[in-house]
Amino acid sequence: MTTLQDTLPDTGPAAPILSNAALLRLAVVAAGLVVAFGIVPAVATDYWLSSIIIPTVVMGLAGISLNLLQGYAGLVSLGSAAFMSVGVFSAYNLILRVPGLPLPAVLLLSGLIAAAVGVFFGLPALRFRGFYLGASTLGAQFFFPWLFTNYPWFSNDSQSLTISAPRLEFLGYDLQSPVGRYLFVATVTALLIGLAFLVVRSRLGREWMAIRDQETAASVLGIRVARRKLQAYAISSFFLGITGVLWGFAYLGTADAHTYNLDKSFQVLFIVLIGGTATIFGNFLGAAFIVLTPILLDHLVLAANIAYLSDQGAITNLQRVIFGAIIIFILIKEPDGLSAWIRRGAEALRARPKT
Amino acid sequence: MAFFLETLIAGLFAGLMYGLVAIGFVLIYKASGVFNFAQGAMVFLAALVFVTLVERGVHFWVAFAATSALMVLVAIAIEALVLRPLRNRDPLTLFMATLGLSFVIDGATQFFLGTDVHMLDIGIEDIAQDYGGLFISQFDIIASLIVVALVAVLALVFSKTRMGISLRAVADDTLAAQSIGIRLPVIWRIVWSVAGIVALVAGLLWGARQGVQYSLSLVTLKALPVLIIGGFSSIPGAIVGGLIVGASEALADIYLGPLVNGSVSTWFAYILAVAFLLVRPAGLFGDRDIERV
């Protein structure tokens, strides 16, 4: 389990080490921005950008969204993908029905609509805790595909009930190319990561953790538990709504209600557990795992050239087996998720000056 | 009125099947506190192995015994490879592990036995007969008798045998049960085996109705509302919860569906479950230890 101490920033008597750590942190952020906005778009091929990097970044963002709710506030959601679909259908209809709305405003409003929906489905959290919350969010997971399928208004009466991405542009810049879509995704992601850090290090984030670890004690301290829980659903769903827009418009280019199905919700859950609960960057490791494992397995099967496996269905099923087994393996071997790797790396760096 | 009753009865029979799947959950939840998402995969595995054996000309009861033996082996493997390394971990981790397990079981089942839909004939005719103006299928009646018999046997085993009493001790207070010498791994193996055999019965009855196919695996998703309504720790509760979900789904589909433009059965059960949670959080038959705020 991640304790409160691990997740709070270092404070304490060791003043010189703290400033080192702060410097290191600043350097890491700067390096991250240089890599994300300088090196990656310059170096990566279109295939890498479109098929690996963009989905990894977007799914990592989905992981952060759920992690705010589950890792920090200790609440449960089995319907992450439903809130993503609310985001993308909101964005589609906003662009369609409110001409001239700039892209950032569309994202913001879609996030807010998803947040309102999230609060509604989070209302049962005021009455009970734990796994039972799964019921209402699982209900959302089945309700929204039904809603978007049965009422074609949401997809502008399209025959196939699919919505296709509008032209992505901002301040006259065309964002249609792989690099443009990547920069769009990376900018939104960087802003949301910043927001996520602000939230978890603010009073709000600390109170979430207090509620997660000891709800009774938290309420004795005067924390307004009910309000904080609903805020957790609101903020998590806000993030998920924007993530849904990125997934539909910047990655797939098209979406329908079933793009955001239960499997997607479970993938987001896997990202949180594999990446590590109550972490921010661990989610990207989890997302990389979710995106890369099927691709790697594909290549492995091709390389092994197993003749009797030429049947695509058999390969898909073999992949399911391996994927499931890896998940169980990681859950057993890395209780804190893959983010334990980041922490060990950071500790190794920090330990060096001492010796 | 007759139409209403027939809809109700059809819904009740569908609900009995939900309840049958939910029993497997209750057994495992009681003994190990795990919400076993792989129960649906176990239903699918058992049904597909059984139907494959029967299609190869194996006698019904031999196939039944062989499949049951396989489910016991699967239970032993799950205990050794998944449950034991993950003991004392939080419920969400265990749930995710069973999700991974469902991928493994579904994938392996279809990898070895193929993805075709198999028709399963278990020797009961599915013909509607007239009972005082109501048309009810003979299959439904026999299937519900089988379910009732199964519940009776389970209830008897759990209240009268040494094994059953140990299981209830574990469910009641795991630490105390261990301290008087009840071996938890043994209990887990037994309970997962029994859940596997219940899955086989469920798979045969569902499979005979709908054909043996992957969608059997998805029955799992209806188990959460069934368990919330019936209570997570009660076998009769699972059946009653199943009946309520089945009947209300069928009625909602007929009477609510036309008002909102289509079938509501995909999500209706969850709304019903949330409503139940608000009114009666422990479920109809559950223990009163649900975490309330």
Side-chain angles (χ1 to χ4, degrees), chain A residues 43-72:
Chain A
V43 173
T45 60
D46 282 358
Y47 167 76
W48 269 80
L49 280 176
S50 306
S51 310
I52 294 172
I53 296 175
I54 291 178
T56 302
V57 172
V58 179
M59 286 309 282
L61 197 54
I64 291 177
S65 322
L66 182 61
N67 226 326
L68 290 174
L69 183 75
Q70 190 170 299
Y72 288 95

Side-chain angles (χ1 to χ4, degrees), chain B residues 66-92:
Chain B
T67 315
S68 301
L70 175 75
M71 297 315 285
V72 172
L73 288 179
V74 168
I76 292 170
I78 290 173
E79 194 275 322
L81 299 175
V82 183
L83 294 181
R84 208 177 311 169
L86 284 173
R87 69 188 176 280
N88 295 334
R89 298 282 290 279
D90 61 299
L92 195 66

Side-chain angles (χ1 to χ4, degrees), chain B residues 10-164:
Chain B
L12 286 174
F13 284 122
L16 213 51
M17 297 292 136
Y18 290 150
L20 197 50
V21 178
I23 289 178
F25 279 92
V26 169
L27 290 172
I28 287 172
Y29 184 80
K30 271 175 94 119
S32 47
V34 180
F35 187 86
N36 176 28
F37 192 82
Q39 186 69 24
M42 283 161 68
V43 171
F44 176 52
L45 166 70
L48 194 56
V49 168
F50 179 87
V51 78
T52 308
L53 287 175
V54 169
E55 279 171 5
R56 302 269 159 89
V58 178
H59 185 265
F60 182 94
W61 288 109
V62 177
F64 190 89
T67 315
S68 301
L70 175 75
M71 297 315 285
V72 172
L73 288 179
V74 168
I76 292 170
I78 290 173
E79 194 275 322
L81 299 175
V82 183
L83 294 181
R84 208 177 311 169
L86 284 173
R87 69 188 176 280
N88 295 334
R89 298 282 290 279
D90 61 299
L92 195 66
T93 305
L94 283 161
F95 168 71
M96 296 306 284
T98 62
L99 199 50
L101 193 61
S102 75
F103 281 21
V104 173
I105 295 176
D106 280 339
T109 305
Q110 296 188 79
F111 179 73
F112 288 113
L113 299 174
T115 49
D116 300 333
V117 179
H118 295 261
M119 283 304 136
L120 174 61
D121 180 10
I122 54 174
I124 311 168
E125 285 186 72
D126 196 357
I127 302 168
Q129 283 182 333
D130 191 343
Y131 293 89
L134 294 174
F135 283 91
I136 303 169
S137 164
Q138 197 184 350
F139 180 88
D140 285 338
I141 292 169
I142 294 177
S144 48
L145 288 179
I146 292 173
V147 175
V148 169
L150 186 72
V151 172
V153 168
L154 285 175
L156 218 63
V157 166
F158 286 127
S159 57
K160 299 291 177 206
T161 65
R162 192 180 175 79
M163 189 278 285

Side-chain angles (χ1 to χ4, degrees), chain B residues 188-232:
Chain B
W188 283 349
R189 269 179 230 139
I190 291 172
V191 164
W192 280 71
S193 303
V194 174
I197 292 164
V198 171
L200 171 60
V201 176
L204 295 187
L205 294 179
W206 270 101
R209 206 5 115 54
Q210 305 186 330
V212 176
Q213 53 185 320
Y214 174 67
S215 65
L216 280 184
S217 207
L218 303 176
V219 175
T220 318
L221 297 170
K222 283 283 161 62
L224 183 63
V226 168
L227 293 175
I228 284 174
I229 291 170
F232 272 77

Side-chain angles (χ1 to χ4, degrees), chain A residues 70 127-129 132 135 138-139 142 146 150-151 262 266 269-270 273 309 314 317 320-321 324-325 331-332 335, chain B residues 89 92 96-97 99-100 104 107-108 110-111 214 221 228 232 260-261 263 266-267 270 277-278 290-293:
Chain A
Q70 190 170 299
R127 295 271 290 179
F128 24 81
R129 139 183 9 143
Y132 301 88
L138 199 57
F142 290 104
W146 174 86
N150 269 290
Y151 292 90
L262 187 67
F266 283 151
L269 261 180
F270 281 138
L273 277 184
L309 283 185
N317 283 314
R320 281 175 78 84
V321 174
L331 289 175
I332 293 172
Chain B
R89 298 282 290 279
L92 195 66
M96 296 306 284
L99 199 50
V104 173
Q110 296 188 79
F111 179 73
Y214 174 67
L221 297 170
I228 284 174
F232 272 77
V260 293
N261 231 353
S263 164
T266 52
W267 52 269
Y270 300 96
L277 269 178
L278 294 174
I290 175 176
E291 291 182 279
R292 290 196 64 176
V293 176

